[in-house]
Structure formats: structure tokens, C-alpha cells
Amino acid sequence: MSKRIGILGCGWLGFPLAQRLVNRGFTVKGTTTSPSKIQHLQDEGIQPFLVGLSENGIQGPIGEFLTGVDTLIINVPPKLRGNATENYVDKMKHLLEAIGKSTVSQVLFISSTAVYGDAEGEITEDTPLAPVTESGKQLVACENLFRNQKGFTASIIRFGGLIGPDRHPVTTLSGREGLSNGHHPINLIHLEDCIHMILIILDNSYWGETFNGVYPHHPEKQIYYFEEAQKRGLPAPSYQREPASNSGKLVRSANFLKKGHSFTTSVVS
């Protein structure tokens, strides 16, 4: 197993992942777009690089960052919410060009269950992709870009909704009224399990594969978010009364579980 790892994007997930890898004896390089975080990364034993990706190119020493790296973890989500309209695919094409000139032989690309769109029922890694959001569509295109490259082997993780320290959807849903699809199941994963899954993939060299990353507990949204709001002393969101004409999607982490692995951190507070 490679002991030289690069993490492109040392943010909410990438930074604690880098810390964990450093503690396990890996040589870890990490990027940030914030000059103020350079010293913070260095203090944690992470070799820091100020690198930014855009649809027009790469800013910063990407070649130096990739030098000597065997395994690259790409944790740069699309910025396509609200009025943002970046071309995420072009960003990744610039990155692929840089990877092609490097020593990288394995890539782990962090994607999202948004690639399944509005599919209903039980979803596994074999379910046909049908994205409806611009973010989901561009993630599918990028998954295919990385999967079809010849210079390295790529694996994909499609994480569900992310929760963890200082991050939970109930904080933005709190007090909202008339929400739809309250009978749909949740598809969430805790930060600790995101890191756990990534470490399992690295430890076992699961390359050339696709994994869903969702904790296997799927209560209805209206029940789950009511209870989570109560635990935090927040006004609970309210949902419309709707006929259960569609079941919503329930994402199974089939590939991870069938290999005999399990999740460690409940999505229930």
C-alpha cells in the first residue's frame, strides 16, 4: 500500500482525514485555497500547498504538490448552488492533465449520491445514473473522466448527506414550514464514517471500484428531523401531508457491506 498520499482539498473532510493518515505514518501532502491555513496544515504534519482549481486553469504549484504522490484523494465538490455556475468538468480536465504528468497511480474521487437524481426505491452502485441537478450531471461526467483514464486506476465514493461536528441539515431546516417528501428516507453519513470508508479503501487497495457511502439507517425525514431538532432545542421543520405516492430513494452501501465491512458512527444524535 502506498504511503505517499496527496489530498486535494483539506477542508471539512480532507483536513481530519489528513490528520488521521499522518498519525498512521503516511507522508501526506495537502492543498488549501486559503493562505491563512498553510501554517495550520504544517503544524499537523501535513505538507501544505496553496493550490486553486478553476475552469480556466490551476493556480499554484500543482506539479510540486503531485511530485512523489502515489495516491491522490480528490475532495473538491462542485460549487453549483444558488447562482454559482462554474464548469466543474473543465476544472477536473485541467487536473487530469496535471495528474498525467505525475507519479500518481491511484485516484480516489469523492462524488455524491446526487448522481442518482430522483430515482426511487432501493439504490445500489449498480443503479443507472439519472442526475437532475447541474451538480449531479457534472459529477457523473467527472466520474466517467476519471474512471476511463489509462495512466492510473480510479475508485469513486458517492457520499450521502454529510453530518458531523458543526454540520447537520436540521440547523438549516429548523423552523421551515410546508416541506415536501417528509415520508422519504434519509440518506446520511457521519464524518467519522467518511474517513473510515476512505481508510478501508486505502488499506485494502480497492481500486477500480465504486462505493456508495450512506449509513444503513433510514427513518422518514419528518420523523428524523423532528427528533434531531428536539434534541438541539430547535424549532422542528414541518412537512406537508402528502400521499405516499412515491417512496423516495433509499441508498444502500452495497459494495462496502458485501466486502464484510461495517459503519461505525450513527447518524442519530
Side-chain angles (χ1 to χ4, degrees), residues 13-171:
L13 168 59
F15 178 67
L17 171 63
Q19 289 177 304
R20 204 73 56 89
L21 288 167
V22 168
N23 290 338
R24 292 180 59 170
F26 287 83
T27 297
V28 181
K29 291 182 170 184
T31 72
T32 179
T33 58
S34 174
S36 63
K37 292 183 180 178
I38 290 291
Q39 188 61 51
H40 187 39
L41 295 181
Q42 199 160 17
D43 290 345
E44 294 296 322
I46 304 159
Q47 297 178 28
F49 293 83
L50 193 64
V51 173
L53 304 184
S54 77
E55 55 194 67
N56 299 315
I58 301 177
Q59 299 76 46
I62 188 66
E64 186 182 352
F65 165 66
L66 293 173
T67 297
V69 168
D70 302 312
T71 300
L72 177 65
I73 300 170
I74 301 171
N75 180 41
V76 183
K79 296 177 181 177
L80 291 167
R81 293 185 177 181
N83 296 321
T85 57
E86 75 166 7
N87 191 317
Y88 184 71
V89 177
D90 280 353
K91 285 174 65 168
M92 292 300 112
K93 286 180 178 177
H94 292 304
L95 177 59
L96 278 169
E97 185 177 346
I99 295 172
K101 302 173 184 177
S102 75
T103 55
V104 171
S105 56
Q106 295 105 22
V107 169
L108 183 59
F109 180 71
I110 306 300
S111 186
S112 162
T113 54
V115 298
Y116 298 114
D118 294 332
E120 291 187 25
E122 188 169 293
I123 305 296
T124 72
E125 292 86 353
D126 295 326
T127 299
L129 305 184
V132 293
T133 64
E134 184 59 29
S135 176
K137 292 173 183 177
Q138 294 203 38
L139 281 170
V140 170
C142 291
E143 285 189 12
N144 291 330
L145 279 176
F146 284 100
R147 192 179 283 113
N148 295 327
Q149 290 298 309
K150 295 181 179 179
F152 57 80
T153 306
S155 282
I156 312 292
I157 303 184
R158 298 167 179 157
F159 284 133
L162 304 173
I163 66 171
D166 303 318
R167 180 169 182 163
H168 199 289
V170 75
T171 58

Side-chain angles (χ1 to χ4, degrees), residues 187-265:
N187 293 287
L188 301 176
I189 184 169
H190 194 279
L191 172 63
E192 283 298 318
D193 270 328
C194 294
I195 295 171
H196 172 64
M197 283 192 75
I198 292 170
L199 295 179
I200 290 287
I201 290 169
L202 297 178
D203 286 345
N204 293 276
S205 296
Y206 290 145
W207 299 112
E209 301 199 43
T210 301
F211 296 87
N212 289 336
V214 174
Y215 190 81
H217 178 55
H218 304 272
E220 291 185 357
K221 290 180 179 180
Q222 57 195 356
I223 296 173
Y224 175 77
Y225 288 120
F226 175 81
E227 293 176 348
E228 291 295 311
Q230 280 200 319
K231 292 171 185 175
R232 291 166 172 77
L234 297 172
S238 65
Y239 288 83
Q240 302 171 16
R241 291 190 176 184
E242 301 169 305
S245 56
N246 61 72
S247 60
K249 64 173 179 263
L250 192 155
V251 182
R252 301 285 190 197
S253 302
N255 194 15
F256 188 69
L257 295 173
K258 78 179 181 182
K259 292 179 184 296
H261 304 298
S262 59
F263 291 87
T264 65
T265 308

